[in-house]
Amino acid sequence: MTARRLPAAWKLGLLSALYFVQGVPFGFQSKGLKLLLADDPAVPMTAVTLLGLLSLPWSLKPLWAPLVDRYGSARFGRRKSWIVPLMGLLALSLVAAGLAPYPGALLPLLGVVLLMNVFASMQDVPVDGLAVDLLGEHELGLGNAAQVAAYKVGMAVGGSVFIGLLLPRLGWLGGFVGLAAVVGLVLLAVLAVDEPNPPASSTGPSPRPGLREIARRAWQLVARPGGVWLLLFVATYKTGEALSDSVFEPFLQRVLHLPKEDVASYALVGQVGSLVGSVAGGLVATRLPLLRAVGVTAAVRALSLVAMWALAAGLVPSSAAVITAVTGVEHFFAGLVTTCMFAFMMSRVDRTVGATHFTLLAAVEVLGKAPAGLASGALVERLGWAPVFLVGAWLSWAFLGLLVPLRRHAAPATAS
């Protein structure tokens, strides 16, 4: 077996900073804003979980990914040409969110959060392309561990840390200005880095192919043998997890009647667990074939979702220790499987159009898990809490069946 090697420290540092920034707005939308609304009993669960619609821009990334692969200043940096202005717009949108205080200006705030996701998701395309350019085949495991972990740290800062620490101490505007200042510091760091040119392909067109060539290669991701199975595999690996996770914190607030500050603390425990799991996933991905790594980690993740159901069904006590353990373990295994899956996805792309190929797979991942999260509130209102957690666990077990066809089509993509 070919020996794995560690990515250079500067690669990990640069990618970690960029993915951290992208996690901040998504963390506020998916954790911070949900905690605020779930704390109000007048807001129905359906409305709370429909906040996921604000993440729609993350599903639209394939629309502009070909432009990112095609255009950009070679002198300034092919990927930096997109990253720098989008990061500046993200910082401005964070300040704008602070000027739309909750709850008196909820609709303007939702509009600003949507814009934050637009800028962060657009930035994600050139950042993914930069990761594909920088990481060699044997750097994918730890490289993706750093990316996933940094993104989750950003989510924790934008969600639990914002609600539990920044908001009480700095106030609404001060908290968002603080987040914008962090983005500004990362922007200065990016400006100081010289982006290396990606290596030219020895068996294909220039690394700057035309839009028609990009579209042809993107279609090959689907049309090649096993392409449809790959898309289904990526789309469904988070379905059960998304269903359970989207209602777990509202369950703590509305059924166990915990205050939002306590729930934010539990959410932070989960995010720390997810962070540790993401790093551990990188180690797993360096020691196992990537498809096997996804299968093993997905199996243990399914077990952790059973623990969530047991808590909701009253089979285990709802003590602080149990809630902490369930939250930490579930998020640890979720981080584990996420890193392995993203490394597997990156191994399947054609590096000549790396931004487009990886963005397409990442968009499929978002589209696949979104319906479960959006429907979870309505399902709770119709079925009850425990049955929804049971369905989430069952879907995670059912996903493992897709490993069978994937093993028959496990060869990575090549330039052609």
Side-chain angles (χ1 to χ4, degrees):
M1 184 174 67
T2 304
R4 306 279 180 173
R5 65 174 182 269
L6 295 177
W10 73 268
K11 294 182 184 180
L12 295 182
L14 176 61
L15 294 175
S16 295
L18 291 169
Y19 281 97
F20 166 83
V21 163
Q22 292 168 199
V24 169
F26 191 75
F28 176 73
Q29 173 227 305
S30 63
K31 293 290 183 184
L33 194 54
K34 181 182 285 187
L35 286 170
L36 290 173
L37 293 184
D39 203 47
D40 184 353
V43 180
M45 270 302 302
T46 300
V48 172
T49 54
L50 283 177
L51 286 174
L53 288 173
L54 296 175
S55 64
L56 179 64
W58 290 89
S59 303
L60 303 178
K61 294 189 300 177
L63 296 180
W64 49 78
L67 301 178
V68 174
D69 269 327
R70 180 66 183 91
Y71 299 107
S73 168
R75 182 175 181 180
F76 183 70
R78 180 186 178 193
R79 307 305 189 185
K80 283 173 61 179
S81 299
W82 295 85
I83 293 170
V84 168
L86 288 169
M87 195 178 296
L89 290 170
L90 175 58
L92 291 176
S93 67
L94 284 165
V95 174
L99 298 174
Y102 174 85
L106 180 58
L107 287 180
L109 175 62
L110 295 181
V112 174
V113 173
L114 180 64
L115 277 178
M116 287 160 53
N117 276 322
V118 168
F119 299 139
S121 64
M122 291 186 71
Q123 178 189 321
D124 189 54
V125 178
V127 172
D128 284 341
L130 182 64
V132 172
D133 292 343
L134 293 180
L135 297 174
E137 179 183 355
H138 304 301
E139 298 174 321
L140 295 179
L142 291 180
N144 276 276
Q147 294 170 39
V148 174
Y151 183 84
K152 290 179 177 179
V153 171
M155 283 186 61
V157 170
S160 303
V161 173
F162 181 85
I163 295 296
L165 296 177
L166 297 183
L167 191 57
R169 288 165 173 78
L170 301 179
W172 185 265
L173 176 59
F176 277 109
V177 169
L179 294 179
V182 172
V183 175
L185 289 175
V186 175
L187 175 57
L188 292 176
V190 172
L191 287 171
V193 173
D194 292 327
E195 178 185 333
N197 292 322
S201 172
S202 60
T203 59
S206 161
R208 300 290 293 272
L211 294 178
R212 182 174 297 181
E213 176 64 16
I214 293 172
R216 183 185 73 83
R217 287 169 173 264
W219 172 246
Q220 286 179 342
L221 185 66
V222 182
R224 70 190 184 209
V228 173
W229 286 114
L230 173 64
L231 296 185
L232 185 62
F233 189 69
V234 171
T236 58
Y237 91 105
K238 282 276 188 181
T239 302
E241 179 189 319
L243 182 65
S244 297
D245 280 354
S246 63
V247 294
F248 184 68
E249 286 153 14
F251 166 78
L252 298 180
Q253 290 175 270
R254 298 197 170 188
V255 178
L256 301 185
H257 305 294
L258 301 178
K260 67 178 184 297
E261 291 79 12
D262 288 354
V263 177
S265 298
Y266 288 123
L268 186 57
V269 168
Q271 287 165 327
V272 171
S274 180
L275 174 63
V276 176
S278 299
V279 175
L283 299 175
V284 172
T286 63
R287 287 163 171 77
L288 293 177
L290 292 176
L291 183 58
R292 186 184 303 171
V294 174
V296 171
T297 55
V300 293
R301 185 270 311 268
L303 285 172
S304 68
L305 292 179
V306 174
M308 272 189 169
W309 165 74
L311 178 63
L315 300 179
V316 296
S318 55
S319 64
V322 170
I323 295 172
T324 300
V326 169
T327 303
V329 169
E330 191 275 330
H331 282 76
F332 172 83
F333 289 127
L336 200 69
V337 69
T338 298
T339 297
C340 293
M341 176 61 85
F342 273 67
F344 173 72
M345 288 161 51
M346 196 167 285
S347 74
R348 306 282 294 189
V349 305
D350 178 347
R351 289 175 176 263
T352 305
V353 289
T356 300
H357 259 196
F358 190 78
T359 295
L360 178 59
L361 288 175
V364 168
E365 189 253 2
V366 172
L367 286 170
K369 67 184 179 184
L374 293 174
S376 59
L379 289 175
V380 164
E381 292 174 350
R382 179 176 292 271
L383 302 176
W385 295 91
V388 170
F389 285 109
L390 183 60
V391 171
W394 181 87
L395 288 172
S396 291
W397 286 109
F399 160 78
L400 297 174
L402 291 173
L403 289 167
V404 176
L406 256 291
R407 286 196 182 99
R408 296 198 299 263
H409 305 285
T414 57
S416 60

